[in-house]
Amino acid sequence: MPGRPPGGAPNEPRWDDPRWRVAERATEAIRRRFPADVLAVAVHGPLAHGDDDGGGDGEVNLLVVTYRPGTGPGPATRRVDGVLVDLTVSGADDYLRQARTVTPLWPLTADRYVTTRALYDPSGWLPGLRDQHLAQLVRARPTEFSTAARRAWYRGCAAHARAGRLAQWYETDQALLMLGEARLAAATVTGLLTRTYYRDPGDAVRRTRLAGADMTEVGRVLAGQADELAARGRPVDGSVEELLDG
């Protein structure tokens, strides 16, 4: 890339960061090996935001968009020169479809559609991805978010109950893992109910003040979310007939 600065301004790439050098090398290799398949290559995650110091020990989240599904490189994760590279590969139509869908994990996935930094995008496909995602959010009905939030709530409720049982059996390590799952699920429920997305799971629990929440506090949050979901038209509890009706 011509004219690269030795160090980025805020929110600009820092080309002295080893992660950027690895990302650029990977992009060049991908384009060389799959010249007819690759539509765009970009980074997402912390590196795309350009406001973390990284220090070269962080991760490179590299996205490869292909013209057709099943072409280009395969998804992979490797450490390259001390830098962990997570390679996601998707056909363009599939990725756009994902960007237009509200799922229970939307608060944890939306950032990759909104904040990307292109390493190769001659057709300007990535800005179109962002525009389509944001347009879908404008069009989305409240029920789409509440339905996704309800599914995330069930996952959090199950993890919280499991954590409680494990704690009673003095399975402390497993209980802490399940409590972490409950915290993250509760954070995603909050994100869905408020249409807020996060950079990553750590950001989700920090911004929702659940990072240090104990079993009791997580239970209170889940109970409050159950009330909110009921107020939005459908309680989390129901009959067998309602279960079968979907």
Side-chain angles (χ1 to χ4, degrees):
M1 291 186 181
R4 292 177 297 182
N11 297 321
E12 289 297 325
R14 290 181 42 136
W15 297 111
D16 58 337
D17 188 327
R19 295 173 300 170
W20 279 110
R21 293 199 294 270
V22 169
E24 188 174 43
R25 283 170 49 203
T27 300
E28 291 171 352
I30 290 165
R31 292 181 58 195
R32 185 170 59 250
R33 290 184 60 179
F34 306 98
D37 298 322
V38 176
L39 173 62
V41 183
V43 294
H44 60 89
L47 194 58
H49 284 274
D51 57 3
D52 66 319
D53 53 22
D57 297 325
E59 182 176 0
V60 173
N61 303 110
L62 195 64
L63 168 68
V64 177
V65 182
T66 60
Y67 288 100
R68 297 170 302 279
T71 60
T77 303
R78 292 290 188 278
R79 193 165 62 179
V80 179
D81 295 342
V83 176
L84 186 64
V85 181
D86 182 47
L87 182 64
T88 298
V89 183
S90 179
D93 289 344
D94 289 343
Y95 209 67
L96 284 172
R97 186 161 44 249
Q98 295 171 28
R100 293 193 295 260
T101 305
V102 177
T103 73
L105 292 178
W106 174 82
L108 302 177
T109 58
D111 187 64
R112 71 185 61 178
Y113 308 127
V114 176
T115 306
T116 58
R117 198 173 290 273
L119 291 166
Y120 174 71
D121 186 19
S123 66
W125 186 86
L126 291 163
L129 170 73
R130 180 181 187 275
D131 291 345
Q132 289 207 37
H133 177 73
L134 295 177
Q136 176 60 31
L137 297 186
V138 173
R139 293 192 300 265
R141 296 170 298 172
T143 54
E144 292 183 56
F145 281 91
S146 59
T147 298
R150 193 171 292 104
R151 290 170 58 193
W153 185 91
Y154 289 134
R155 187 175 70 249
C157 182
H160 182 260
R162 179 66 174 164
R165 288 193 297 272
L166 288 167
Q168 291 176 349
W169 299 335
Y170 299 102
E171 297 285 353
T172 306
D173 291 341
Q174 293 183 58
L176 288 174
L177 287 173
M178 296 308 299
L179 180 59
E181 288 191 22
R183 289 169 177 159
L184 182 57
T188 61
V189 173
T190 297
L192 288 160
L193 293 177
T194 61
R195 299 198 183 199
T196 301
Y197 66 88
Y198 313 109
R199 293 190 183 188
D200 51 46
D203 183 46
V205 294
R206 282 194 304 270
R207 290 175 60 186
T208 54
R209 300 183 180 180
L210 285 163
D214 60 18
M215 197 85 67
T216 301
E217 178 58 25
V218 173
R220 281 199 294 265
V221 171
L222 288 168
Q225 290 174 342
D227 292 340
E228 175 67 18
L229 289 167
R232 294 192 180 210
R234 188 176 179 185
V236 295
D237 297 307
S239 65
V240 171
E241 288 73 18
E242 290 170 326
L243 172 67
L244 298 180
D245 290 338

